[in-house]
Amino acid sequence: MLGGTMNAATQANPQSISRKDQPSVLVVGAGLIGSSIAMHLAKKGCLVTVLEASAQPAAGASGKSWAWLNANHKQPAHYRDLNLHSMKLWGQYPDLAAFPGSLILNDDRTGDNAYPSSPLTPEQLKEEEPELSDAACQGGARLYEPEGYAYPESAVRFFLQQAEQNGASVLYEHPVQSLETRKFSPHITGVVTPGTTLHADVVVLAAALGIPELTKPLGLSVPLTAKPRTVTVITKPLKPILKHIVVNGTHQLLFLSFADPVDIRHCMFSVCKRSNPLCEVMLSQHGRISQRSSAA
């Protein structure tokens, strides 16, 4: 979150305001993080404007995310605790998230008393998930009961709707080209978009992989951890294939097969290895309607 001085969110919300009581905020990016920030700030009385480069929300990393809700062996402790708290918050939105539990294949790690899990033999795993190939079940699995997943696109749209109902404005096809700063000062005062410059008391960057490009000219380095390329397969509604989230032991493969609020069922996996027996059985049995890849 980067502070500024001038008030340009009022360009989208021209009503008379008291800047002391209603600070203006520009949120760059309409993904999960940006939309959630916009919703909460708008509910607190801030004058919020969301700027999204694409013509629709969740067009970047959020729309291609695994959206896996877990705190599985995450370190350091404060990061693990943050994830646990996030899981509890998602539990307040039953239409936007589900918690069927996760099966991690070939997982022989010791369980955490504060994070319920149970080991499954190959036979137990096959009983839990009959659609998995015998080869995929050979090493057994560990079941993590508290884990789940979110519906990213539905969540983003809901958060933005809530933000707008509390006075926020969402501007699509408004790519941010650079950050505006006060002369001879590092303070961020706004953003430059094609044809106009918008100012605000605070600028929030929630543009994922677009953040380093925006901060670099200011001498600010924002390191991001690269994640593997993902391939998303979206099919017509099918009979449920899996009861749980299924992940291989190195987190290189993940499948979901649940109905989301618009009754679309997914299979999602990263670093798709065609030789992987689990990948083969899923693709061969259920086909492929469309495919998109991303470095999200």
Side-chain angles (χ1 to χ4, degrees):
M1 189 175 288
L2 305 174
T5 55
M6 298 182 68
N7 189 353
T10 55
Q11 296 180 34
N13 298 278
Q15 64 267 36
S16 175
I17 65 166
S18 166
R19 287 180 54 205
K20 181 178 179 180
D21 296 330
Q22 293 180 288
S24 58
V25 182
L26 290 171
V27 179
V28 181
L32 273 170
I33 294 176
S35 63
S36 177
I37 289 173
M39 176 182 70
H40 286 92
L41 289 180
K43 287 183 175 181
K44 293 289 186 180
C46 297
L47 295 177
V48 178
T49 301
V50 180
L51 303 174
E52 169 56 43
S54 302
Q56 62 184 22
S62 293
K64 304 172 183 66
S65 170
W66 293 1
W68 183 12
L69 305 177
N70 75 91
N72 200 313
H73 291 271
K74 291 187 176 180
Q75 295 295 329
H78 63 81
Y79 177 58
R80 174 182 179 275
D81 292 343
L82 177 65
N83 280 266
L84 286 170
H85 182 62
S86 173
M87 292 166 68
K88 291 180 181 178
L89 293 178
W90 277 107
Q92 300 174 13
Y93 299 96
D95 292 335
L96 303 179
F99 292 88
S102 299
L103 285 167
I104 299 185
L105 307 181
N106 307 301
D107 186 356
D108 56 3
R109 294 174 296 179
T110 303
D112 182 345
N113 291 334
Y115 199 70
S117 69
S118 53
L120 299 182
T121 65
E123 294 75 22
Q124 291 171 324
L125 175 57
K126 187 69 174 179
E127 184 176 348
E128 282 285 333
E129 296 291 357
E131 293 293 330
L132 293 185
S133 66
D134 292 339
C137 294
Q138 282 181 352
R142 180 171 286 273
L143 173 61
Y144 293 87
E145 292 92 345
E147 297 182 358
Y149 62 95
Y151 303 119
E153 295 184 18
S154 297
V156 168
R157 292 182 186 278
F158 173 79
F159 294 156
L160 291 176
Q161 181 185 55
Q162 292 291 301
E164 290 178 306
Q165 289 177 359
N166 285 274
S169 296
V170 182
L171 305 179
Y172 296 105
E173 298 182 298
H174 274 66
V176 172
Q177 298 172 316
S178 63
L179 302 176
E180 185 84 352
T181 59
R182 190 188 306 168
K183 192 174 183 179
F184 306 119
S185 169
H187 294 290
I188 309 299
T189 62
V191 301
V192 177
T193 66
T196 188
T197 299
L198 301 175
H199 294 89
D201 298 310
V202 175
V203 175
V204 178
L205 299 182
L209 296 177
I211 293 176
E213 183 179 350
L214 291 173
T215 61
K216 186 176 180 180
L218 305 180
L220 300 174
S221 175
V222 180
L224 296 177
T225 301
K227 289 195 173 183
R229 183 168 295 273
T230 64
V231 178
T232 305
V233 178
I234 302 176
T235 74
K236 295 179 180 179
L238 300 168
K239 178 182 178 181
I241 304 167
L242 302 175
K243 295 185 292 183
H244 306 84
I245 298 170
V246 178
V247 189
N248 80 349
T250 56
H251 294 185
Q252 290 181 319
L253 181 64
L254 178 146
F255 284 106
L256 300 178
S257 177
F258 306 98
D260 70 11
V262 293
D263 199 30
I264 299 291
R265 301 187 190 279
H266 310 51
C267 294
M268 294 182 65
F269 49 96
S270 74
V271 194
C272 178
K273 296 184 177 180
R274 301 283 178 176
S275 60
N276 187 296
L278 178 57
C279 183
E280 287 179 348
V281 70
M282 299 299 290
L283 288 179
S284 63
Q285 288 187 8
H286 301 287
R288 181 175 60 194
I289 302 299
S290 64
Q291 176 175 306
R292 66 178 182 266
S293 63
S294 152

